[in-house]
Each structure stands twice: as structure tokens, then as C-alpha cells.
Amino acid sequence: MTKPERLLAYQETFDCVQCGYCLPSCPTYLSMEKETHSPRGRIHLVKMAAEGKLPLSEIEEPIDLCLGCRACETVCPTNVQYGKILDSAKVALKEERKTTAPWHQKMMKKAMFETVLPNDRVLHAIGTGLSLYQKSGVARIARKAKLTRMLPKSLAAFEAVTPAVASRRERKNRLVDAKSEGNTALRVGFFKGCLMDTMFSRINDLTIQLLQRAGCEVVVIEGQTCCGALQNHSGERDVAKRLAKQNIEAFEQYDCDYMVNSIGGCGAMLVEYDDLLADEPEWRERASHFAEKNVDSSVVFSQLPLPFVKKLNGVATYQPSCHMANVQKRIEEPIKLLQSIPGMTYVPMKESELCCGSAGIYNLVHYEQSMKILDRKMENVKAVQPEIIVTTNPGCHLQMKLGVEREGRSEQIKVVHLIELLAEACDVGGGKRNV
């Protein structure tokens, strides 16, 4: 076997017995109705490519169109490591494209993955620019003059549902070492994320304040960087490893009970650093210790008594983050927290376990396919008629907001992060939702 085929997780493909249990859990199989766009079909294609019976170019489209939601792993009766097979295929395809991809594509990826996402200064500059665009009135004028139609279709759609971005001054006022209110129950390190802290910094701030209110001392870890999820999912494993090592080194400087985040997708990457660095003996144990300590904020809040002071009357349904449910295996905690909010009525949604179609930047690079998946999701939303859709990941948050907007229901249905509801019910952060 020669490069790049040797990078494929060939042995893992033998765990798949082609039973088809995964098919109903796969959003792309349901929307595209092709065997090659199902987990079972993709595994078979990877196996064939590894054996040299297919060129890598034959698996490119099926692999690129996979959301990576890993719902198939949750229902698989033989515990196939689909994520490992998928990631290996992306690494192999990335190697293949080194010689075939246009130079401008390679430059754009390099700039995004190595310069923009891991760089706080660049992200703060982007955040400041977005804030000025929104608050100066330029956004309103651009929409009124229909200038946003000049953008690619996917960017124009998400521009309309982008939340209010915090200004430079608001971000500078963030607490970096927050003492608990009352007796200290836990000392936690806080992972803020890159895009999360640019687009949804308010949710990070609310999480920190809520942790304080629940009795946690919170430290925003200095030296942390991007989690590496987008890079890893694009086959840029070396970049992802470098970022993982930087995060591990940064967090090792602190003694904390937990490392906490409110980002389902990033959290999934953080708890799999031990897999990412499994082939590096000097990092394996450190990565394993790091992964064990990382949890979603809902895990901490489910262990501590939250001081609710407000009744929030409303009917809410929950759209789980795939990576939080299928990788972190945190399914019950967010629902129980939602049900614990005084006055809130929780209504389960049919097929809530199916991906909403966000999947990192999938909804930007595969917009049409993503919208088909979202339209199916919105049919299930309409069936339960909620007033609120609750999410736990920024990508899902934006995608569901777009779904509500496309249905013309933005006046009837609000999309919020779980943290926003908990904070409002505890009278933290001014008690207003950013919808």
C-alpha cells in the first residue's frame, strides 16, 4: 500500500458487518438516498480504496458530504469507530489534494486554519469589525439596499441571523479570575473557544457568571488557543496536534477540578485529545489526563444547586449538539437542566438526535445539502410548536435560527443557548436573552 492510501484506517473497516442499523441515523443518507452517502457505504468505499480497488478520487465526494455527526456510532451494534475511519479518509484526501488542489484553495485553508482561528488578535479584530458593522447602521443599510445579495448565498443567509457581536470594550471587561459567590464548591478552568468567543462571547460571559453564582471559582486559562476541531475535520491533523499540545500545556499550569466549556463541538474535540495524540508516547498520558478533566458546563451545573429566582413561562424543545451527544455522551444533563427551570415546559422533538445540518462549516461549503437537512428538522419543530428552541453549541444555534427565519417564524420561535435560559432564571447577566 502506498501513500496516501496507507493513511486510511483499514483494519477498523472490518468491524462493520454491513447490517444497516446506521442508515436511519444518517442525515445525508435520509436526504440524498444513496448508499454511498451512508456510513455503511462510506466504510465500504474506504476499505476498497485501502485495498487499491478504487482510486481515492472515488471516495472524495461521499467523504466530503459526510457531516461527521457520528450518530451512526451511537446506534452501531458492533461499535465501529466511524469517526476514526472518517478522519483517516480526510487525512488521506488532504495528502492527495496537495498535488491537485488549486493554489488559492490551499492558501485560503492555510490562512484560516493556521493564522486566523488560533490567533486571538486576529479574532478580536474580526469581532470588532463585525460589531462596528452591526452597530454603526451599515448592516441595516446593506440589507435595505439588498447589497448582501452580492455575497455568496450561504454567507448572505447567515449574515441575516448573526447575533449581536460584543464590542472591543465589552470583551476587554471580561473577568479572567472570578471568585465564587459564597462557599467554593469547585475550582474550574474555562475554555472560551475561538469562533465562540468572537460570535457568542456573551454566552461565555454568562457561563462564567453562572458558575460563580453556583459556587465555582473560575479561571480563564491564559495561553489557550483554538481546539483544532475544524482543522482535524479537514484532514489537517498536524495543525490540530500542535493546537492540542498548546492547550494541554496552558491548562497544566493550573490546578482545577474541571476544565469547562459551553461549546458542544469544541468540547468533543477536547475530550478526544488522547486519541489525537495516541501515537506520541510523550504526550499520550498528558492528553488523557486533560481529556478526563474536560466537561461541558451542563455537567457541572447538574452537580450543583442553581439559585433560580425567576419563573420563565414557556414551551421549549431541545436540539442537541451531535458532538456533545454522540462523542461526549452528554444527553441527559442538558434536558434535566431545561426541565428544572421554574415555569418552563419541555416538549421532546421527533428525530432530535438527527443533525441539524450545521456541522462546523458544512452549512457554508455545502449549503444546499445542509438546507435539505435543516428543512427536515424544521418539519419536526413545527410538529411540537415550541416557543423556544434550546441548543448547546454555536453552530447549531445559528443553523436553527436560520431554520426559523426560513420558515417565517422568527416572531413566534426564539432560539437560545441553554446557558441563556439558566442565567435568566437565576437573574445573572441582566436577565435578557440575546435573540
Side-chain angles (χ1 to χ4, degrees), residues 125-403:
I126 292 172
T128 300
L130 276 173
S131 178
L132 287 172
Y133 169 73
Q134 293 174 335
K135 292 174 181 173
S136 66
V138 174
R140 181 174 49 80
I141 294 169
R143 289 170 196 163
K144 196 170 181 180
K146 299 181 179 177
L147 296 176
T148 54
R149 290 186 180 181
M150 296 169 69
L151 294 168
K153 195 173 180 180
S154 56
L155 288 180
F158 283 99
E159 188 274 343
V161 296
T162 300
V165 177
S167 67
R168 183 181 177 186
R169 177 181 293 178
E170 288 168 327
R171 285 195 300 275
K172 279 183 72 175
N173 290 334
R174 160 170 300 154
L175 296 167
V176 294
D177 190 355
K179 300 294 183 187
S180 60
E181 296 182 9
N183 294 329
T184 300
L186 295 170
R187 185 170 194 259
V188 301
F190 189 73
F191 183 82
K192 57 186 183 179
C194 53
L195 291 178
M196 176 74 168
D197 210 47
T198 303
M199 308 285 288
F200 291 88
S201 61
R202 180 175 176 275
I203 292 172
N204 275 348
D205 293 342
L206 289 176
T207 305
I208 292 171
Q209 294 173 54
L210 200 57
L211 284 165
Q212 275 185 288
R213 187 68 62 87
C216 295
E217 180 184 351
V218 188
V219 182
V220 180
I221 304 295
E222 287 188 26
Q224 63 175 293
T225 186
C226 170
C227 68
L230 290 178
Q231 293 85 346
N232 195 46
H233 297 158
S234 297
E236 301 285 347
R237 186 168 292 173
D238 290 342
V239 180
K241 283 185 174 184
R242 190 171 75 241
L243 298 175
K245 291 172 185 176
Q246 182 176 334
N247 280 324
I248 292 170
E249 285 181 332
F251 279 85
E252 283 177 341
Q253 305 306 310
Y254 299 82
D255 181 21
C256 296
D257 298 298
Y258 289 114
M259 311 297 180
V260 177
N261 66 81
S262 291
I263 327 162
C266 299
M269 187 71 218
L270 299 174
V271 301
E272 291 201 320
Y273 273 4
D274 50 343
D275 287 338
L276 181 68
L277 298 170
D279 59 350
E280 299 194 28
E282 69 274 26
W283 282 95
R284 191 183 304 141
E285 188 175 339
R286 294 166 70 180
S288 180
H289 182 65
F290 176 89
E292 287 170 4
K293 285 216 166 188
N294 267 279
V295 293
D296 186 82
S297 59
S298 62
V299 176
V300 174
F301 290 130
S302 65
Q303 294 177 11
L304 299 171
L306 280 170
F308 293 123
V309 295
K310 282 186 182 175
K311 194 173 180 181
L312 305 183
N313 294 320
V315 177
T317 194
Y318 174 55
Q319 172 56 41
S321 149
C322 295
H323 283 160
M324 189 161 149
N326 301 321
V327 182
Q328 299 187 65
K329 307 298 183 188
R330 300 299 184 182
I331 299 170
E332 296 298 325
E333 288 91 344
I335 294 174
K336 285 183 178 176
L337 282 168
L338 179 56
Q339 291 173 317
S340 72
I341 296 173
M344 191 62 65
T345 300
Y346 164 65
V347 287
M349 175 170 52
K350 185 183 173 187
E351 295 184 341
S352 64
E353 72 282 2
L354 283 182
C355 179
C356 63
S358 171
I361 56 172
Y362 187 98
N363 49 9
L364 294 178
V365 296
H366 301 298
Y367 181 72
E368 299 298 338
Q369 292 87 347
S370 169
M371 291 304 106
K372 287 180 184 174
I373 294 166
L374 179 59
D375 288 345
R376 182 185 181 107
K377 178 67 66 181
M378 294 311 298
E379 287 299 315
N380 290 320
V381 168
K382 281 191 284 187
V384 293
Q385 298 186 336
E387 297 166 271
I388 304 167
I389 299 173
V390 179
T391 71
T392 50
N393 186 54
C396 311
H397 193 140
L398 281 180
Q399 182 83 344
M400 296 308 294
K401 275 193 78 171
L402 181 58

Side-chain angles (χ1 to χ4, degrees), residues 57-111:
S57 57
E58 291 288 320
I59 72 170
E60 185 170 354
E61 186 195 42
I63 292 297
D64 282 349
L65 287 176
C66 177
L67 293 147
C69 66
R70 292 170 62 177
C72 50
E73 285 187 4
T74 298
V75 299
C76 179
T78 58
N79 297 316
V80 174
Q81 298 177 69
Y82 180 79
K84 191 170 182 179
I85 297 168
L86 176 67
D87 286 347
S88 75
K90 293 202 168 180
V91 172
L93 286 168
K94 180 242 175 185
E95 286 298 307
E96 176 88 344
R97 288 165 180 160
K98 272 185 177 177
T99 55
T100 58
W103 67 269
H104 63 277
Q105 280 186 15
K106 288 189 277 190
M107 290 294 290
M108 190 174 295
K109 278 191 173 183
K110 186 177 176 65

